[in-house]
Amino acid sequence: MRIFLCDDDKRITAELEKCLLSYFGDRHLPAPEIRSFNDAGSLLADGSQPDIVFLDIEMPGMSGIAAGRLLSEREPRPLIIVLTSFIEYLDDAMRFHVFRYLTKPIDRRRVERNLSDALAAIESESRETAIETKAGVRKVRTADILFIESLGKSVTVHLENEDIDSLRKLDDWEIALAGLPFVRTHKSFLVNLQHVVEITRDTVYLDKGGRSAYLSRRNYAQVRNRYLRFLENTR
């Protein structure tokens, strides 16, 4: 496990490192490799691949927003946890698929809660979902599902580079994926919140292939609040 910390305030990176080492030590987990940076340029210049990045938004020089966009283009993409004193930056952070955000001053309990979610998300990358089709049963990584769409009597599971026709109804999919970050944005759409980058009054935009899904106006507040809770990790 490799974790990067980036904040122009060295006290913040030191506090975060202390929290992280305590978290892993208290749970008898192998200590992660932790690297601290005080500017975005140094972070991006590091040639190693982090699993998790704690990223400050407002820094001299290159902003955390710009750095986050570049990090989100890497493969494999690290999980990015934003650090900010200003909640108004959240909309910009959403555009590069931030995993969670933490407001300053740093709250140890929130750090630990979000770190637990990040570790669970990394583990869940291997989770698979079975799709029953006319030709048989396909297995795909659950995290690779962008959204599931119902059109007439057809139900399609949309991946980044493939669409799979499913025999399961959308209501049944909603039940099967309960407890995972999927939300019904419209009577015909079930969307994976892990891939959401922007929400407008009538559309949910995803991070792969320029895909989008309909959002009914009556569901707008519920979906947006669910997404914000997903980012905040408040239940």
Side-chain angles (χ1 to χ4, degrees):
M1 176 65 59
R2 181 179 292 123
I3 302 176
F4 283 3
L5 314 176
C6 187
D7 195 296
D8 60 314
D9 188 337
K10 294 183 178 180
R11 294 171 299 179
I12 296 293
T13 55
E15 184 179 358
L16 276 172
E17 181 170 358
K18 183 178 179 180
C19 286
L20 298 182
L21 291 176
S22 177
Y23 176 94
F24 282 86
D26 290 347
R27 290 158 180 78
H28 306 290
L29 299 172
E33 176 187 346
I34 300 176
R35 300 188 184 184
S36 295
F37 306 89
N38 299 117
D39 64 88
S42 299
L43 167 71
L44 295 171
D46 190 287
S48 54
Q49 178 62 41
D51 299 291
I52 302 171
V53 179
F54 287 81
L55 180 64
D56 185 25
I57 289 298
E58 193 174 33
M59 293 183 289
M62 179 183 290
S63 71
I65 295 293
R69 288 174 179 154
L70 293 173
L71 286 170
S72 69
E73 295 172 358
R74 294 185 177 182
E75 291 294 343
R77 179 174 57 192
L79 296 183
I80 300 174
I81 298 177
V82 160
L83 308 171
T84 182
S85 301
F86 305 99
I87 198 67
E88 58 265 27
Y89 288 118
L90 179 58
D91 284 342
D92 288 330
M94 285 168 61
R95 293 179 184 273
F96 61 77
H97 193 54
V98 61
F99 179 72
R100 295 285 191 275
Y101 75 91
L102 295 172
T103 54
K104 299 178 184 179
I106 299 299
D107 182 295
R108 176 172 175 171
R109 288 176 297 179
R110 289 200 67 198
V111 171
E112 292 184 347
R113 192 166 68 243
N114 284 276
L115 181 59
S116 291
D117 266 5
L119 297 177
I122 290 172
E123 182 179 355
S124 72
E125 283 293 305
S126 61
R127 184 195 299 269
E128 291 184 322
T129 292
I131 304 174
E132 186 180 0
T133 72
K134 290 181 179 179
V137 177
R138 286 280 307 276
K139 281 188 176 182
V140 301
R141 288 198 321 154
T142 309
D144 289 339
I145 297 175
L146 303 180
F147 62 95
I148 304 172
E149 178 184 7
S150 174
L151 182 61
K153 295 183 178 180
S154 300
V155 172
T156 303
V157 178
H158 295 278
L159 310 178
E160 179 179 5
N161 297 311
E162 184 179 9
D163 298 328
I164 304 172
D165 291 331
S166 168
L167 297 180
R168 182 182 288 174
K169 295 179 180 179
L170 192 61
D171 288 344
D172 295 332
W173 272 112
E174 187 173 16
I175 293 171
L177 296 173
L180 298 176
F182 286 80
V183 62
R184 194 75 169 260
T185 62
H186 182 277
K187 66 180 181 180
S188 300
F189 288 86
L190 184 64
V191 173
N192 187 347
L193 291 174
Q194 292 175 297
H195 291 286
V196 173
V197 292
E198 183 178 1
I199 297 173
T200 67
R201 289 284 177 181
D202 56 11
T203 307
V204 175
Y205 294 94
L206 307 172
D207 61 353
K208 301 290 186 181
R211 300 289 192 100
S212 61
Y214 290 135
L215 172 60
S216 63
R217 292 184 179 274
R218 67 180 182 181
N219 285 356
Y220 171 76
Q222 176 186 349
V223 170
R224 181 174 174 83
N225 290 339
R226 171 81 186 277
Y227 185 55
L228 291 175
R229 289 198 302 270
F230 170 74
L231 294 178
E232 293 175 326
N233 188 32
T234 57
R235 300 291 188 261

